Amino acid sequence: MPARRFHQVIFADDLFRSPANGLNHFPANRRFLKGFFGSALGRLGLPMREIAPRSHGGAIDVARAMALLGLPATPAGWARACIADLAPLRELEGWPAFGPGCLMIGWGLTPALQHAIDRGGASYLDIEIDPRRFTEHLHFCARTNDARIRAALEARAIGEELFWNHAASLQGFFARRGAGALFDPRLRVGVFFGQSLVDLSLVSGGRSQHPSAVIGALRTLAQEVDLLVVKPHPYEPALHDLAPIARAIPNVAWTRENSYALLSADNVRFVAGLSSSVLTEARYFLKPTRALIRADRNAPERLPAGCSPWMPVGPELGSLDFVLEACQAPESQGLIAASTGDAGAWPADAIERAFSTRWGLDDDSPGLQPLPELVLGRDYAFRTGNPATAWLAHGWAAPDDVDTWSEGALACLAIPLPPAAVFAHPLQAPAQRLRVRIDYRCEAKGTRVVALLDGAMLPGQRTTGAWRRSLVFELVPSPQRKCLVLQFFVGEAAGAEVADGTQAPVVRSGFTLRRLRVSMNATGTGGVAALPQPEASTAAPGRVLDRMLRVFLQSGRRAAG
């Protein structure tokens, strides 16, 4: 057996992301690494162990570590710890020495941990799922500070053409199903992809970044297109982080369409995000990208000087021949081939089987839903079989034979309008307005529904019955308005007080969408309030609305949690 360079292997993850800092810790990734590499390392006789926070059975007192670093034990403190100098932790009980002969195999190691390992003379192999997830099978991406490990990774790196070929295949897939454009081919669209609220890739300058910090840049981007469409992260139920976008950007809409169908859409002009992995994928679909922050985890100045770039590799990373090549001593290089013999084949789907997911790739995806153009004066019911159901862009349950129900704290309607020439009266075009009426029903009296159009709150009108309501407003048609987009924010209904002074259970918040009608109306013929213009609002009401939307969405987050 070839001589070994390492006398111990340590498995780790971002252990500062722990309950001690008010964050959830996910040990499954670290445990995966030990299970995945354990066979090959065990056959080499290498001692293995894990380091973890005390909250999950480890020896690291994270609260004590934060105190030694002079950082608060909070999510903000965690973000600062991602780039902090961890030298003060040498006196912390259970903290590894990170000396020569030590190999750290980590999942999503922070820049701070990488520096601590590198300065101690140890080697590390940092591993994650490759962000290009549209291929037939998932891959790893890996980086290291060790020259021999880097050479072993480079020898197994996956070529760029594989990703280009799979992206081309997907574009052909979506070209044969669904619509070729999002909402309407006349619309120029930019798509903003949301992310999980707590994510290492959101840490920039030692601070967790949020959409509210880049509203100015988003507003500038929105001016390049007809609609800036927000695609929330599919695994993040809380939407309060995205609420500022709804208020600050007039031409915003929301979608739940498949991410790769969006990247294949002909009318998507750019893809934006704070640091979403979709920005990496978009390049292979020839979509311009706009990254709005510079994440610390990939900034060269934040990493050890010898850190390699991320390299895409397959599941054979756990094979004996890779581990031998990575762990060999210089004098044993010629013995590797004789020691491994037939390396054997790894299951092509090994990674997705372990993680039980394929993320955005979905062979059953129908593609983008074609949206019918509105017919003026027609009543539309939101039930199965009615063309209006195609306008349910985001936040709705599947329609039934009667109507459809809003799901979560935010719902959006996107309705393509006829060309502006249809609206114009040959002699009195300026006197024509679109009159919009939407009828809906709330199951609980206390349910609050706020509707926004162009960033302004619409006046609601209650009709007969305590829970039956209607939304009626007018707007002036213009060639610039090719799509009518309405955002609905739903607040949780409070439980009624019962005899003993306690609160009854909270009723599920939401509302039933029943009917919509858009018609022409001559100015002054009806008593319906016209649409309030956003620029006419004072700053104070704007801030009040921001707070109200945030409260609505936070209540939805609590209900989802």
Side-chain angles (χ1 to χ4, degrees):
M1 185 65 66
R4 303 187 305 250
R5 293 194 294 141
F6 304 114
H7 57 74
Q8 67 166 330
V9 178
I10 301 175
F11 297 99
D13 52 19
D14 181 3
L15 52 90
F16 288 94
R17 183 169 169 165
S18 86
N21 282 327
L23 298 171
N24 290 327
H25 185 75
F26 301 100
N29 291 331
R30 182 187 70 251
R31 293 170 182 168
F32 164 77
L33 292 177
K34 185 176 181 181
F36 188 75
F37 286 97
S39 175
L41 292 170
R43 290 159 72 186
L44 290 181
L46 279 169
M48 296 172 280
R49 67 186 180 97
E50 299 177 58
I51 59 170
R54 285 185 177 177
S55 59
H56 286 74
I60 305 299
D61 184 343
V62 174
R64 172 65 177 156
M66 297 300 287
L68 289 171
L69 295 174
L71 298 175
T74 63
W78 161 76
R80 290 168 61 186
C82 290
I83 61 170
D85 182 357
L86 303 185
L89 302 187
R90 292 169 184 163
E91 62 182 83
L92 183 69
E93 181 181 355
W95 189 255
F98 295 132
C102 171
L103 171 63
M104 172 77 80
I105 301 180
W107 188 275
L109 296 176
T110 66
L113 279 168
Q114 292 179 56
H115 273 293
I117 299 165
D118 189 69
R119 289 167 183 162
S123 300
Y124 65 79
L125 175 62
D126 190 20
I127 299 172
E128 285 197 352
I129 300 296
D130 191 90
R132 294 161 289 194
R133 297 167 184 169
F134 51 79
T135 50
E136 182 181 8
H137 298 294
L138 293 173
H139 302 95
F140 292 122
C141 61
R143 59 184 175 184
T144 182
N145 67 333
D146 185 283
R148 290 187 178 276
I149 297 177
R150 176 171 181 166
L153 291 173
E154 289 173 340
R156 292 162 177 80
I158 296 167
E160 276 282 287
E161 284 304 308
L162 176 101
F163 299 106
W164 284 106
N165 293 343
H166 276 82
S169 174
L170 262 182
Q171 291 178 87
F173 173 85
F174 285 114
R176 289 186 58 87
R177 55 181 65 196
L182 177 62
F183 297 154
D184 190 289
R186 296 173 299 162
L187 295 170
R188 298 167 302 147
V189 171
V191 183
F192 176 84
F193 283 86
Q195 294 173 243
S196 299
L197 291 180
V198 180
D199 189 333
L200 180 58
S201 65
L202 291 178
V203 178
S204 179
R207 298 179 61 185
S208 290
Q209 303 297 322
H210 303 279
S212 58
V214 296
I215 286 295
L218 274 176
R219 189 184 291 112
T220 300
L221 287 176
Q223 293 170 356
E224 300 178 11
V225 290
D226 298 309
L227 285 181
L228 179 68
V229 179
V230 179
K231 162 75 172 174
H233 194 283
Y235 300 147
E236 179 54 77
L239 298 178
H240 65 276
D241 220 36
L242 299 172
I245 301 176
R247 176 67 180 92
I249 300 176
N251 59 326
V252 71
W254 303 73
T255 187
R256 59 186 172 190
E257 296 281 12
N258 178 276
S259 295
Y260 300 121
L262 294 173
L263 293 180
S264 302
D266 294 333
N267 63 336
V268 170
R269 296 293 186 263
F270 64 79
V271 172
L274 294 177
S275 60
S276 172
S277 61
V278 181
L279 300 179
T280 300
E281 297 178 300
R283 180 171 74 93
Y284 299 91
F285 294 79
L286 301 179
K287 292 294 189 288
T289 59
R290 307 286 192 271
L292 301 178
I293 68 168
R294 191 164 185 265
D296 290 337
R297 66 189 315 252
N298 291 325
E301 70 274 11
R302 298 287 188 189
L303 300 172
C307 181
S308 71
W310 286 109
M311 287 175 271
V313 289
E316 63 274 12
L317 202 64
S319 65
L320 179 62
D321 66 318
F322 171 81
V323 172
L324 272 171
E325 195 171 334
C327 298
Q328 65 174 319
E331 63 272 14
S332 63
Q333 186 170 358
L335 302 176
I336 294 297
S339 299
T340 56
D342 182 10
W346 275 79
D349 61 349
I351 301 176
E352 52 260 36
R353 286 173 60 194
F355 286 82
S356 303
T357 186
R358 282 299 291 113
W359 277 280
L361 187 62
D362 181 4
D363 291 335
D364 296 326
S365 174
L368 299 178
Q369 188 169 10
L371 271 61
E373 192 175 88
L374 177 80
V375 176
L376 294 177
R378 177 177 174 180
D379 284 330
Y380 291 92
F382 293 90
R383 59 173 178 260
T384 303
N386 194 295
T389 58
W391 300 333
L392 304 172
H394 180 270
W396 306 97
D400 58 25
D401 293 336
V402 179
D403 46 34
T404 189
W405 181 272
S406 69
E407 284 187 329
L410 184 147
C412 177
L413 282 176
I415 307 168
L417 294 173
V422 174
F423 305 137
H425 188 281
L427 298 177
Q428 297 179 320
Q432 297 294 308
R433 286 188 173 181
L434 284 178
R435 184 178 189 270
V436 182
R437 180 187 179 94
I438 297 175
D439 296 323
Y440 62 100
R441 184 183 73 241
C442 296
E443 297 299 332
K445 287 185 179 181
T447 298
R448 299 165 294 165
V449 180
V450 171
L452 265 66
L453 178 66
D454 297 346
M457 187 167 63
L458 292 170
Q461 294 187 357
R462 183 173 297 185
T463 57
T464 58
W467 301 281
R468 299 173 64 85
R469 302 177 185 177
S470 64
L471 177 68
V472 185
F473 62 94
E474 291 182 348
L475 64 154
V476 178
S478 70
Q480 289 73 37
R481 189 182 295 278
K482 303 168 187 174
C483 191
L484 178 65
V485 178
L486 291 167
Q487 302 176 74
F488 299 92
F489 293 84
V490 186
E492 188 174 274
E497 188 171 309
V498 295
D500 61 359
T502 61
Q503 292 291 112
V506 173
V507 179
R508 180 182 68 158
S509 62
F511 67 100
T512 298
L513 191 60
R514 300 181 63 82
R515 189 175 290 103
L516 175 141
R517 180 184 179 93
V518 181
S519 56
M520 294 303 301
N521 188 42
T523 303
T525 61
V528 182
L531 171 67
Q533 298 301 314
E535 60 268 21
S537 302
T538 63
R543 288 195 296 270
V544 169
L545 182 56
D546 285 340
R547 287 195 296 270
M548 182 166 60
L549 297 185
R550 186 171 290 273
V551 168
F552 277 19
L553 295 173
Q554 284 175 331
S555 70
R557 182 189 184 193
R558 289 193 298 271

